[in-house]
Amino acid sequence: MSGEVLINLTPMETRVAVVENGVLQEAFIERARRRGIVGNIYKGKVVRVLPGMQAAFVDIGLDRAAFIHAHEVMSPGTPSDEQVSIAQLLHEGQAMVVQVTKDPIGSKGARLTTHLSVPSRYLVYMPDSPHHGVSQRIEDEMERERLRGLVEAAGVDQQLEVTGGFIVRTAAEGVGVEELAADMHFLLRLWRRVSERKVTAPAPSVIYDDLPLFMRTLRDVMRDDIEKVRIDSRENYVKLIEFAEEFMPTAVERIEHYAGERPIFDLFSVEDEIQKALGRKVQLKSGGYLVIDPTEAMTTIDVNTGGYVGHRNLEETIFKTNLEAATAIARQLRLRNLGGIIIIDFIDMEDTEHQRQVLRMLEKSLERDHAKTKCTGVTELGLVQLTRKRTRESLEQTLCEPCPTCAGRGTLKTPESVCYEIFREILREERAYSAETYVVLASQAVVDRLLDEESAAVADLEEFIGKPIRFQVETHYSQEQYDIVLM
């Protein structure tokens, strides 16, 4: 599998596209005014303690106070069944050093932890944990043991004063002791600077700011199968080369400045794919399609055969559609950055072997996902449920806002429904105020309906209340909006 990373930079926005085999798989967007803050370390001040929720709100200098739960304050070695009141751990006005684990999403503030960590290319340093670990994505047990041994040996050989522990990241698979030792040196130097800021910084303030998106991408996404990293900014190309020379020498020759006349995101139709990812419906090559509906609590994905009729029988048609859907769903989860609980309604399959193969295809397709996913299998109702770690806003939340007309509902009341609302409102006003004339201000579609299909009903209403009713079109009114003026 071959891949490319495309980086588009403007003064107000950074956009990154990860393309595999010519198809967009992931898109990251960071705006100057709404830069992601996951991984940042702050010195904050406790503004409210909530014993009933075992949580507290902390001011870290953002528009909304951030949220921290009691288990994120307790020391890492505390038994999970040991209950300690948040009021014993924190008090209002207390200064504390915290790290953001989730960006503010919607109306919810950022999520925090006191279990700090700082990442590099191959390692994550955890100053408060004495243990070393290896990413669960590295499954080969011999490789896990080799890497764990190298980390322990590097600390001794380099005579490093290591008080915490290191987690070996997935990118470290196959690397040698020199690369790990260089990362350890970098992280320990970085942590010394952070430790100094912890003492001197006021509350609230930023103590450690993670790398900008285009550098984070190189650090976190770069793999052996990424053949090129193209960036369309000459100035930031130089910065990226300098960063790679210091921390990722093997990546330097794969970074190139894109100076083409076509916008960089027109390559591989990235712009078109992002636009498609904002729609509900995803067309499959076979003729089937997915319907994706994010809600507050979960995301539901429905699989349909659509125009695909197969060549042999119904069971084969369903099986082929579900297999294709499993691959497409894994891609859509990454591309749209959908998190939390995800419920998938595959087309019902009678053959248990077909069910197993579809589930295996889904799990295999999710293996390349950087976000942690967990598939819990098929429920009694035949639904597949999985969870995907949510750390930042979805693509839709980043690029869109709720429709002002329907308030995010996705549907509008029909002109007929609005007409009947107007009739009821006129009766209500007549009982309360008894005006001489009523003037209805409404949209073109509603007024047209009142003067045409509902004209008989309007005449009956005028006769019933004994007052004339006039209508006026307001071109800027939405279909659901209206006003009744008493004359």
Side-chain angles (χ1 to χ4, degrees), residues 171-422:
E173 194 166 6
V175 305
V177 68
E178 287 125 1
E179 292 95 332
L180 295 179
D183 265 23
M184 291 172 82
H185 275 289
F186 164 74
L187 288 171
L188 292 172
R189 284 199 311 272
L190 174 62
W191 184 248
R192 276 196 290 274
R193 289 204 299 270
V194 173
S195 298
E196 291 166 6
R197 288 274 299 147
K198 282 167 63 177
V199 177
T200 59
S205 63
V206 182
I207 291 177
Y208 163 74
D209 201 353
D210 204 359
L211 296 170
L213 176 59
F214 70 98
M215 290 186 182
R216 285 204 313 273
T217 301
L218 196 68
R219 181 190 72 192
D220 298 339
V221 176
M222 200 64 181
R223 303 181 301 265
D224 291 339
D225 58 4
I226 298 291
E227 296 175 347
K228 278 184 184 175
V229 176
R230 306 192 204 197
I231 179 168
D232 64 1
S233 162
R234 168 64 68 179
E235 179 188 349
N236 289 292
Y237 163 73
V238 174
K239 291 180 182 178
L240 205 58
I241 289 290
E242 289 172 354
F243 176 79
E245 285 174 342
E246 184 173 359
F247 300 110
M248 304 171 64
T250 57
V252 173
E253 61 185 21
R254 288 180 276 171
I255 302 171
E256 66 175 50
H257 175 240
Y258 176 78
E261 291 186 8
R262 290 175 64 199
I264 191 168
F265 267 30
D266 282 2
L267 304 180
F268 306 108
S269 303
V270 170
E271 292 283 15
D272 292 341
E273 289 298 317
I274 289 175
Q275 291 305 314
K276 288 178 186 176
L278 298 175
R280 285 182 72 221
K281 197 170 180 178
V282 179
Q283 205 67 45
L284 303 177
K285 289 181 181 177
S286 65
Y289 61 92
L290 311 175
V291 177
I292 301 175
D293 283 312
T295 68
E296 187 75 21
M298 67 182 70
T299 297
T300 62
I301 302 177
D302 187 34
V303 183
N304 298 278
T305 53
Y308 182 50
V309 294
H311 301 291
R312 295 182 188 172
N313 54 49
L314 179 62
E315 184 65 23
E316 179 217 54
T317 303
I318 290 171
F319 177 53
K320 292 280 178 62
T321 305
N322 281 340
L323 274 179
E324 187 186 359
T327 306
I329 287 167
R331 174 176 174 258
Q332 290 296 324
L333 294 182
R334 290 174 66 188
L335 179 54
R336 297 170 185 243
N337 191 34
L338 298 172
I341 301 169
I342 293 143
I343 303 293
I344 305 168
D345 186 8
F346 285 107
I347 306 164
D348 290 339
M349 293 172 284
E350 301 291 334
D351 191 328
T352 54
E353 177 59 22
H354 285 175
Q355 292 177 10
R356 191 192 66 78
Q357 287 187 45
V358 168
L359 199 59
R360 176 63 192 133
M361 176 62 78
L362 178 64
E363 291 170 343
K364 190 172 186 302
S365 301
L366 288 169
E367 286 174 1
R368 297 185 65 79
D369 196 338
H370 298 288
K372 185 178 180 182
T373 57
K374 183 181 179 184
C375 188
T376 58
V378 183
T379 68
E380 292 178 1
L381 298 175
L383 305 172
V384 173
Q385 60 184 29
L386 59 93
T387 58
R388 186 174 185 270
K389 188 174 181 182
R390 189 203 317 259
T391 56
R392 57 189 172 92
E393 290 184 326
S394 68
L395 187 68
E396 183 183 44
Q397 288 169 322
T398 302
L399 297 179
C400 305
E401 63 181 19
C403 167
T405 302
C406 71
R409 195 170 69 233
T411 55
L412 287 175
K413 292 176 186 172
T414 63
E416 181 184 25
S417 298
V418 179
C419 289
Y420 294 157
E421 274 190 29
I422 289 170

Side-chain angles (χ1 to χ4, degrees), residues 53 60 106 225 267 279 424 469:
M53 292 177 63
I60 58 173
D225 58 4
L267 304 180
R424 291 194 297 273
I469 303 172

Side-chain angles (χ1 to χ4, degrees), residues 10-22:
T10 62
M12 297 305 294
E13 185 181 60
T14 300
R15 300 189 301 166
V16 175
V18 180
V19 177
E20 294 172 2
N21 292 340

